[in-house]
């Protein structure tokens, strides 16, 4: 792939030697964590292909779309209403990053005590290693946690940045502010693209994004089966790819994967033995290629059956109501759907506790692993409430705080193994 796309990467201004080294490490990492799994599905070939071409073919597609006049918009948070970008003929790509890359450069402009996700996206940008970033006509930030909102001020010195104000509470006045923000965002996207977002265009986009969510909901429902037919690692990858790939193609491929899973379930076949402890992850998002915890958990003999996270059910649980007929009506439905997101940046955030308990029961988990990135105050603080809520239901929880490095791999392994042994 390297030679085939080198000209394209050069034009995007990437640091070619460093990028080549990154792809090499990523390939090895992927081989160890993904390709080594036994009994993988045929549908996983799609995941392997997308990942192998994530900086190649997909970027080529984005650049071709740009040459036809479409705009590429990068985002960091599931609060950004993708439907509006699509309705303006644009393409939305997730820019959160899950690798310890460019941290020396990031730490020159941000405190060391910043969460790894923020340092990673800043590092990828400053080290010129992300072709998605370099393809963007606009990057959209949001006022969720303090680290992110201050980091966007720095990022704005290096890229065209637009910030949406996300409220901190969920009162009527907060909803009114959020509605204004969604309309302001629509205006900005119209200005960027030169395309007016009409009710017809928005209605098509709402259905398209909902279809992708429905495909992921179907996949998550199939994981209730005992034995579980697909590994947590593979589902995490599916959720990660959802932020990069073309929505129509993704929905079709995940539909095919689900068909295959249904046949596997009918034959009572699983990816892990029926007695393997079933665990659920809860907490911070895991952006590509952050596969550390799922790998540790599944190597310890457990199987992951759910992810209560933004790269998981937090972004797929809710659909936008499709019964809006006017522009105002559709905006209201978008506003309501996004306003229900239970991010730990909100206070209070009791819905999240209810969702976690419901999910844990529904998936018949034996335990929950709460995952917070180091220096992520919202999720690390909320972990205590999550633990209490689960304790009331008799569901054990292991609290983990970590980063993208491998220094704590052995400690994590020991802790997860002890947890799995305890619940098993
Ligand atoms: S809706 S979870 S994607 S804000 S890990 S940067 S919170 S310090 S990612 Fe998030 Fe939107 Fe919420 Fe989801 Fe800050 Fe924590 Fe870092 Fe985080």
């Amino acid at each position: 792939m390297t030679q085939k796309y080198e000209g394209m990467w050069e034009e995007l201004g990437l640091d070619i030697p460093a990028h080549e080294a990154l792809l090499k490490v990523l390939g090895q990492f992927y081989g160890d964590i993904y390709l080594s799994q036994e009994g993988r599905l045929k549908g996983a070939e799609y995941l392997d292909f997308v990942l192998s071409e994530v900086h190649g073919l997909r970027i080529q597609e984005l650049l071709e779309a740009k040459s036809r006049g479409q705009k590429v918009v990068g985002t960091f948070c599931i609060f950004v209403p993708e439907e509006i970008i699509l309705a303006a003929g644009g393409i939305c790509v997730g820019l959160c990053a899950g690798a310890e890359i460019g941290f020396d450069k990031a730490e020159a402009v941000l405190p060391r005590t910043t969460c790894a996700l923020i340092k990673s996206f800043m590092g990828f940008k400053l080290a010129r290693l992300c072709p998605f970033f370099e393809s963007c006509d606009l990057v959209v930030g949001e006022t969720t946690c303090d680290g992110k909102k201050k980091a966007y001020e720095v990022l704005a010195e290096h890229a065209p940045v637009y910030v949406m104000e996300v409220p901190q509470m969920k009162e009527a006045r907060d909803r009114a502010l959020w509605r204004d923000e969604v309309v302001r965002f629509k205006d900005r996207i119209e200005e960027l693209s030169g395309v007016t977002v009409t009710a017809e265009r928005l209605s098509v986009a709402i259905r398209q994004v909902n279809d992708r969510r429905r495909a992921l909901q179907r996949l998550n429902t199939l994981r209730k089966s005992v034995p579980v037919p697909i590994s947590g690692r593979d589902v995490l990858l599916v959720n990660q790819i959802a932020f990069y790939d073309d929505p129509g193609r993704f929905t079709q491929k995940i539909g095919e994967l689900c068909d295959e899973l249904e046949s596997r379930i009918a034959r009572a076949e699983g990816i892990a033995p029926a007695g393997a402890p079933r665990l659920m992850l809860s907490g911070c998002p895991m952006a590509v290629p952050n596969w550390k915890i799922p790998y540790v958990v599944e190597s310890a003999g457990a199987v992951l059956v759910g992810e209560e996270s933004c790269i998981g059910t937090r972004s797929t649980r809710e659909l936008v109501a499709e019964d809006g007929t006017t522009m105002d009506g559709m905006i209201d439905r978008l506003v309501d759907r996004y306003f229900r997101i239970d991010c730990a940046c909100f206070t209070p955030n009791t819905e999240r506790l209810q969702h976690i308990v419901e999910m844990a029961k529904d998936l018949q988990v034996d335990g929950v692993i709460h995952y917070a990135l180091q220096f992520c105050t919202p999720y690390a603080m909320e972990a205590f409430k999550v633990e209490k809520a689960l304790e009331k239901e008799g569901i054990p929880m292991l609290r983990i705080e970590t980063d993208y490095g491998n220094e704590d791999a052995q400690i994590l392994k020991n802790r997860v193994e002890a947890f799995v042994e305890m619940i098993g």
Side-chain angles (χ1 to χ4, degrees), residues 76-79 115 118 144-145 148 284-285 310 343 373 376 379:
F76 301 96
C77 176
I78 61 162
F79 265 99
C115 90
I118 297 173
T144 44
C145 69
K148 270 179 155 183
C284 287
C310 289
C343 173
L373 279 172
C376 172
Y379 281 91

Side-chain angles (χ1 to χ4, degrees), residues 5 25 32 39 44 148 178 188 227 232 236 242 247 257 332 334 341 348 359 374:
Y5 298 114
V25 174
D32 293 346
K148 270 179 155 183
W178 179 233
R188 179 68 186 91
L236 175 63
L257 183 83
D332 275 324
L334 271 181
I341 295 173
M359 213 175 139
Q374 256 166 24

Side-chain angles (χ1 to χ4, degrees), residues 20-56:
E20 199 172 313
L22 167 70
L23 291 187
K24 205 169 159 203
V25 174
L26 191 63
Q28 279 169 359
F29 203 34
Y30 190 76
D32 293 346
I33 294 181
Y34 279 94
L35 303 180
S36 62
Q37 294 179 95
E38 280 176 23
R40 250 172 128 222
L41 300 138
K42 176 133 183 37
E45 283 172 13
Y46 161 69
L47 309 180
D48 298 341
F49 180 72
V50 173
L51 236 277
S52 69
E53 287 286 343
V54 71
H55 281 194

Side-chain angles (χ1 to χ4, degrees), residues 139-328:
V139 293
V140 184
E142 75 308 320
T143 59
T144 44
C145 69
D146 287 351
K148 270 179 155 183
K149 71 186 171 214
K150 297 309 283 181
Y152 298 138
E153 292 175 20
V154 182
L155 188 63
E157 294 166 17
H158 306 276
V161 173
Y162 173 88
V163 177
M164 292 187 80
E165 182 170 357
V166 177
Q168 310 266 292
M169 298 177 88
K170 291 193 174 168
E171 302 296 329
R173 62 178 184 274
D174 303 302
R175 193 225 179 247
L177 182 149
W178 179 233
R179 193 184 194 286
D180 282 352
E181 278 302 289
V182 171
V183 172
R184 191 173 69 95
F185 179 62
K186 179 182 82 66
D187 294 345
R188 179 68 186 91
I189 293 296
E190 286 180 335
E191 180 193 86
L192 176 79
S193 61
V195 175
T196 304
V197 174
T198 60
E200 291 72 26
R201 295 183 76 102
L202 189 54
S203 164
V204 172
I206 286 174
R207 281 181 172 77
Q208 190 178 26
V209 181
N210 273 349
D211 284 345
R212 188 182 61 204
R213 295 186 185 117
R214 279 189 271 262
L216 288 165
Q217 286 176 352
R218 181 179 168 208
L219 173 61
N220 282 325
T221 304
L222 294 172
R223 297 167 80 194
K224 290 183 196 173
S225 302
V226 181
V228 64
I230 184 167
S231 71
R233 261 172 283 181
D234 276 330
V235 180
L236 175 63
L237 190 57
V238 167
N239 279 304
Q240 290 172 334
I241 287 174
F243 290 88
Y244 296 91
D245 205 14
D246 171 75
R249 176 170 53 209
F250 176 88
T251 303
Q252 188 204 328
K253 291 290 177 188
I254 299 311
E256 289 167 13
L257 183 83
C258 289
D259 293 342
E260 199 186 339
L261 286 178
E262 279 172 358
S263 329
R264 190 176 255 195
I265 292 167
R267 296 193 303 272
E269 278 175 26
I271 191 74
R278 297 166 65 89
L279 296 182
M280 182 181 121
L281 283 174
S282 170
C284 287
M286 291 179 177
V288 177
N290 179 8
W291 304 309
K292 179 171 151 179
I293 301 293
Y295 181 58
V296 169
V297 171
E298 296 197 331
S299 304
V303 62
L304 287 167
V305 296
E307 299 76 25
E308 187 277 327
S309 143
C310 289
I311 303 192
T313 51
R314 195 170 303 119
S315 72
T316 58
R317 184 187 300 121
E318 302 268 356
L319 302 180
V320 177
E322 293 177 355
D323 57 348
T325 49
T326 61
M327 192 65 195
D328 267 353

